[in-house]
Amino acid sequence: MKIETIELRRVHMPLVRPFRTSFGTSTEREVTVVRVITADAEGWAECAADAHPLYSSEFLDASDLVIRDHLVPRLQALGDRLSAELVATALEPVKGHMMSKAVLETAILDAQLKTTGVSFGSHLGAVRDTVPAGVSVGIMDSISELLDAVAGYLAEGYLRIKLKIEPGWDVEPVRAVREKFGPDLLLQVDANTAYTLADARHLALLDPFDLLLMEQPMKEDDILGHANLAKLIKTPICLDESIESARDAATAITLGACSIINVKPARVGGYLEARRIHDVAAAHGVPVWCGGMLETGIGRAANVALAALPNFVLPGDTSASSRYFDQDLTAPFELENGHLRVPTGPGIGVEVLPDVLASVTASTDSIRF
């Protein structure tokens, strides 16, 4: 495949409501949208990095720089031999920057699949036409506000509720939601690394609420700590930020650090490595689910395709477009009986709305091949 141009477009997407985690509060989603232009197709992807290095060490300004100055030149060196399957190997000498690598691989894969008329789902190995949708509920100012929000999401049809937690906002919010909505509600929590092993006794107070899982309670590099925590609490531990590769997944599973994995393609370098993590987990009998990074319809389309693989057996954070945006960059993803439909068109299977994209674009940088 011969690339003619790679376009980096910075966009600002207002959120329908503030989204608060243990890292801070977001009121908009700032994204670098990447378009890969070839003679035969256009490939689209979005960089999942935040504007500030709080969720991870990556952030958008640094991502744009490393893409332009370090990653793209390595792809240019491949010439006409370039394909999505060669991207990870070509970029491996550049340490880290997995989200920057992921957005390039994904846009190239989108263009490649559009050229051959194959959908993301078919290429990755999807086995379902729809995937169950969960929703992530941020930290709120009061229990009553939280209960109203959860009631609203359940009324919309979401099949699973995830509560963001942090010290001071954990046991009581979970208790309130469980008591209000009953034992049949699929409920889990996400700590985003906010605790330490010293908090094990406190985290064990969540055990009576029959949670699906506790996501990433401690620092991402504390695999042994998670393995020790798993021995002290009954709630299954799910790792998110700790898993950046199939090798990480195998290590964490072998050490007993997790019994569930949240697969975020952007965090692991792209959808091809995400599929490898899925396969490693399946071989060990460990279920996975697809996490989210407040994606627009561009990223959501590829995530939904990934979530249709056989070992994605838990509802993911693949929410409808309306969860985050009044106007998406693509036709909106909408709930159908608590599920999202897997796109079947070539590549990611959705079309970017040019007028909408133009209206939220702050800057554009084109790199000629």
Side-chain angles (χ1 to χ4, degrees):
M1 182 171 63
K2 184 172 178 57
I3 294 175
E4 298 176 350
T5 304
I6 293 181
E7 180 184 271
L8 309 181
R9 185 183 289 255
R10 185 67 64 90
V11 305
H12 295 259
M13 300 283 292
L15 299 178
V16 295
R17 61 183 63 85
F19 187 66
R20 180 182 165 193
T21 71
S22 59
F23 298 124
T25 301
S26 300
T27 58
E28 70 169 10
R29 182 64 170 137
E30 187 176 352
V31 184
T32 293
V33 173
V34 172
R35 177 170 64 149
V36 167
I37 303 171
T38 74
D40 302 309
E42 291 185 354
W44 294 86
E46 64 181 90
C47 184
D50 288 331
H52 306 286
L54 302 177
Y55 171 78
S56 78
S57 61
E58 294 187 68
F59 62 102
L60 281 176
D61 287 345
S63 176
D64 289 355
L65 184 149
V66 79
I67 288 173
R68 183 178 60 249
D69 294 351
H70 299 282
L71 301 185
V72 167
R74 292 181 177 276
L75 298 181
Q76 290 171 322
L78 293 175
D80 293 347
R81 297 184 297 114
L82 176 61
S83 70
E85 291 74 18
L86 295 180
V87 169
T89 300
L91 302 183
E92 188 174 9
V94 178
K95 304 300 183 185
H97 299 285
M98 304 306 286
M99 295 182 186
S100 303
K101 295 175 180 178
V103 71
L104 288 174
E105 182 187 89
T106 303
I108 291 169
L109 181 58
D110 184 36
Q112 185 173 305
L113 294 178
K114 284 174 177 172
T115 301
T116 58
V118 176
S119 71
F120 247 64
S122 295
H123 183 73
L124 294 175
V127 297
R128 292 183 286 272
D129 297 327
T130 64
V131 298
V135 66
S136 181
V137 184
I139 296 166
M140 304 211 169
D141 292 331
S142 68
I143 297 292
S144 61
E145 182 183 5
L146 173 66
L147 295 177
D148 287 344
V150 171
Y153 291 130
L154 293 176
E156 291 179 38
Y158 285 103
L159 301 178
R160 184 270 286 153
I161 298 293
K162 181 172 86 172
L163 303 181
K164 294 288 188 177
I165 61 171
E166 65 180 2
W169 180 268
D170 42 38
V171 176
E172 292 311 312
V174 171
R175 184 196 313 278
V177 170
R178 180 57 84 201
E179 290 179 351
K180 174 73 173 179
F181 300 102
D184 295 332
L185 172 66
L186 297 180
L187 181 63
Q188 63 192 58
V189 296
D190 182 6
N192 289 120
T193 75
Y195 298 85
T196 70
L197 191 58
D199 298 308
R201 181 171 297 182
H202 180 73
L203 292 173
L205 297 177
L206 294 170
D207 287 343
F209 302 115
D210 193 26
L211 300 176
L212 283 174
L213 57 91
M214 180 185 300
E215 184 180 350
Q216 198 67 45
M218 300 187 295
K219 297 296 183 184
E220 55 267 38
D221 60 354
D222 194 3
I223 300 295
L224 186 58
H226 282 97
N228 289 328
L229 179 63
K231 300 173 184 176
L232 300 174
I233 66 175
K234 295 179 180 179
T235 303
I237 290 179
C238 169
L239 289 183
D240 172 4
E241 290 93 331
S242 294
I243 307 301
E244 294 189 347
S245 67
R247 184 183 299 109
D248 288 343
T251 298
I253 292 168
T254 300
L255 291 176
C258 65
S259 53
I260 302 169
I261 292 176
N262 173 5
V263 181
K264 286 182 179 169
R267 196 192 58 245
V268 304
Y271 290 85
L272 302 183
E273 185 67 15
R275 181 173 59 185
R276 295 184 192 101
I277 293 172
H278 163 276
D279 294 347
V280 166
H284 286 83
V286 171
V288 300
W289 56 281
C290 186
M293 298 284 288
L294 281 67
E295 288 89 353
T296 73
I298 296 171
R300 195 171 309 277
N303 281 356
V304 170
L306 179 71
L309 270 63
N311 195 41
F312 283 87
V313 295
L314 298 174
D317 287 341
T318 46
S319 304
S321 297
S322 60
R323 165 63 182 91
Y324 298 111
F325 310 113
D326 282 326
Q327 175 65 65
D328 208 338
L329 296 180
T330 66
F333 281 85
E334 298 178 337
L335 287 179
E336 301 176 17
N337 298 316
H339 291 68
L340 294 186
R341 189 159 296 280
V342 179
T344 57
I348 60 174
V350 295
E351 297 294 329
V352 176
L353 302 174
D355 292 344
V356 176
L357 180 61
S359 71
V360 295
T361 295
S363 62
T364 303
D365 184 12
S366 293
I367 307 168
R368 294 289 298 176
F369 257 63

